[in-house]
Amino acid sequence: MTRTPRTQTRRQLPRPRLKAFLGPAFIAAIAYVDPGNVAANITAGARYGYTLVWVLIASNIFAMVVQYLSAKLGIVTGQSLPEVLGKRLSKPTRIAFWAQAEIVAAATDLAEVIGGALALNLLFNIPLLWGGVIIGVVSLGLLMVQSDGHQRRFEAIIVALLIVITCGFLAGLFVTPPDWAATASGLVPRFAGTDSVLVAASMLGATVMPHAVYLHSTLVNDHPTQQTDTAHYLRATRIDVLWALSLAGIVNTGLLLLAAVALQGASGTDTIEGAHAAILSSFGPAIATIFAVGLLASGLASTSVGAYAGSEIMSGLLHIRVPLLVRRLVTLIPALVILAFGVEPTWALVISQVVLSFGIPFAIIPLMAYTRNPEIMGKHSNGRVLRIVAGVIAGVIVALNIALIYLTATGAA
């Protein structure tokens, strides 16, 4: 469904209070605290202590700019990024673009279903395959809430899960606080050898998830406050993005600090299972259980958001709306197949992140081009400073993802 672009006549409508605008960025922020991020940040802290804190700070700043631009495109045009692309690409190009986006959606679901299945295995010793099925069924229930037109209720559920994720991943820091002086020193950009460069590239290069970029431009137009005037909505969206991505940044930094406190130098902590075992040994069963609950919430929330994004991508590019049940099954099957064949979960997570890397330029580059184009954005097109900042961010993210793909393909990873 094509949404009506915003017009000058809407500027006279009453302005809702700020809290009415909060929500879309919190759903997008789930992409930044998914199981893949958990694995990457724990690995960084366990191997290099506080050294790579600065990478997370830089990643978070990049994410804020990218997600704001996605929301801005949706607010100003009244269309999602896939819809804008769908109107400007030829049919063969649209289909090819959709195909790569669909592969990215499947890779996203792979990481998130596997992470949720791991959490159920850690909590209840449920076999990974059945854990993946349970995650898929529960996420479908969450999607049914959204598809029934209860956007605010869906947002409330996702925010609640985000709170659970935050508590689950940060609880250990209240038991054993990090070395704050060492944390501050980690803000100084530096590396600890060649291997740490690769880890940093993985952390930064995989920060911006393609599905979150596509989806945020949809979320702002599905929001109940979408009819307010454009300038006011943009100001409120900046606050929404700041709060949501700041929370995601705190969670990711907390994971790294938790690993630096309890896991540094420990063996076997380069897998989620190994990290959980080390947390159990260092903090006790209560904190280990809370961590696993946070991982479960991460898997449930992120796989729901990923399937939602896949539906919007198909609608925008192919002008086809497929029932969410079908969408859920299509993207769930590859993850279940991998779990059924007994592939090592953390290795599967790594491969999924490499696949995601292929899709990032296809989302980032058009977004930067469209939001700077006055023909599309009118007077809200990006100013000179924002164009430069956005261009640098896009260049860094794309270059790091190319490096990550190259290093993985050549065996350096």
Side-chain angles (χ1 to χ4, degrees):
M1 179 179 67
T2 301
R3 299 172 180 86
T4 304
R6 296 178 183 280
T7 63
Q8 296 292 329
T9 59
R10 293 182 182 174
R11 296 186 177 281
Q12 304 303 318
L13 295 173
R15 295 179 175 180
R17 300 178 66 177
L18 174 61
K19 67 179 182 180
F21 293 94
L22 302 183
F26 284 86
I27 295 180
I30 289 295
Y32 299 92
V33 290
D34 71 0
N37 290 91
V38 174
N41 295 325
I42 285 180
T43 298
R47 291 184 183 178
Y48 310 112
Y50 302 91
T51 303
L52 299 180
V53 170
W54 66 274
V55 177
L56 287 178
I57 302 302
S59 299
N60 217 52
I61 294 171
F62 287 10
M64 287 178 180
V65 174
V66 171
Q67 292 304 142
Y68 170 67
L69 290 180
S70 175
K72 181 181 180 180
L73 178 70
I75 291 169
V76 174
T77 65
Q79 303 168 38
S80 68
L81 176 57
E83 286 175 326
V84 176
L85 282 162
K87 288 185 174 183
R88 286 164 173 78
L89 301 179
S90 64
K91 186 174 181 179
T93 307
R94 261 194 306 120
I95 294 174
F97 199 102
W98 167 79
Q100 64 82 27
E102 201 66 47
I103 293 171
V104 166
T108 300
D109 227 26
L110 172 65
E112 294 157 353
V113 170
I114 288 176
L118 278 172
L120 288 173
N121 179 261
L122 294 172
L123 286 167
F124 309 110
N125 202 31
I126 295 175
L128 290 176
L129 176 59
W130 286 109
V133 172
I134 292 170
I135 293 297
V137 171
V138 175
S139 66
L140 178 60
L142 293 176
L143 289 169
M144 295 297 286
V145 173
Q146 189 280 330
S147 64
D148 287 341
H150 301 294
Q151 182 70 17
R152 291 297 278 175
R153 188 177 300 172
F154 179 70
E155 290 174 359
I157 293 172
I158 295 299
V159 170
L161 289 172
L162 184 56
I163 292 171
V164 173
I165 294 167
T166 302
C167 295
F169 292 157
L170 300 185
L173 295 178
F174 291 95
V175 177
T176 305
D179 182 335
W180 294 113
T183 302
S185 71
L187 297 174
V188 179
R190 67 190 189 282
F191 297 101
T194 305
D195 289 343
S196 70
V197 177
L198 178 61
V199 173
S202 300
M203 293 165 66
L204 180 58
T207 290
V208 179
M209 296 290 97
H211 71 287
V213 178
Y214 293 125
L215 183 59
H216 204 160
S217 55
T218 295
L219 292 169
V220 292
N221 283 310
D222 286 343
H223 201 66
T225 54
Q226 62 160 314
Q227 295 297 320
T228 193
D229 69 84
T230 302
H232 184 59
Y233 200 176
L234 288 172
R235 287 193 295 272
T237 295
R238 286 194 286 270
I239 297 174
D240 188 31
V241 169
L242 178 63
W243 289 6
L245 272 297
S246 292
L247 180 59
I250 289 170
V251 171
N252 283 321
T253 304
L255 281 167
L256 186 149
L257 297 180
L258 180 68
V261 169
L263 312 181
Q264 189 173 3
S267 61
T269 56
D270 54 350
T271 66
I272 291 178
E273 307 99 300
H276 178 265
I279 291 171
L280 176 63
S281 175
S282 300
F283 296 107
I287 297 300
T289 299
I290 294 172
F291 173 83
V293 169
L295 180 63
L296 176 59
S298 172
L300 285 172
S302 54
T303 194
S304 301
V305 171
Y308 183 10
S311 176
E312 294 301 320
I313 291 168
M314 175 177 282
S315 174
L317 289 170
L318 300 187
H319 313 304
I320 298 172
R321 279 214 171 266
V322 176
L324 275 174
L325 175 60
V326 177
R327 285 286 327 172
R328 174 72 283 177
L329 291 175
V330 168
T331 54
L332 182 62
I333 288 172
L336 295 181
V337 168
I338 286 179
L339 290 174
F341 277 91
V343 176
E344 204 285 311
T346 301
W347 181 83
L349 285 173
V350 171
I351 295 302
S352 72
Q353 297 306 304
V354 175
V355 174
L356 284 172
S357 298
F358 283 99
I360 289 177
F362 292 98
I364 294 292
I365 294 174
L367 176 66
M368 302 304 179
Y370 291 155
T371 54
R372 66 182 292 169
N373 187 342
E375 293 183 6
I376 297 173
M377 302 294 288
K379 71 176 186 178
H380 297 289
S381 61
N382 297 340
R384 182 178 180 182
V385 173
L386 184 54
R387 289 200 303 269
I388 293 172
V389 170
V392 170
I393 289 174
V396 170
I397 292 174
V398 171
L400 283 172
N401 278 279
I402 291 173
L404 180 60
I405 293 168
Y406 172 78
L407 291 171
T408 303
T410 57

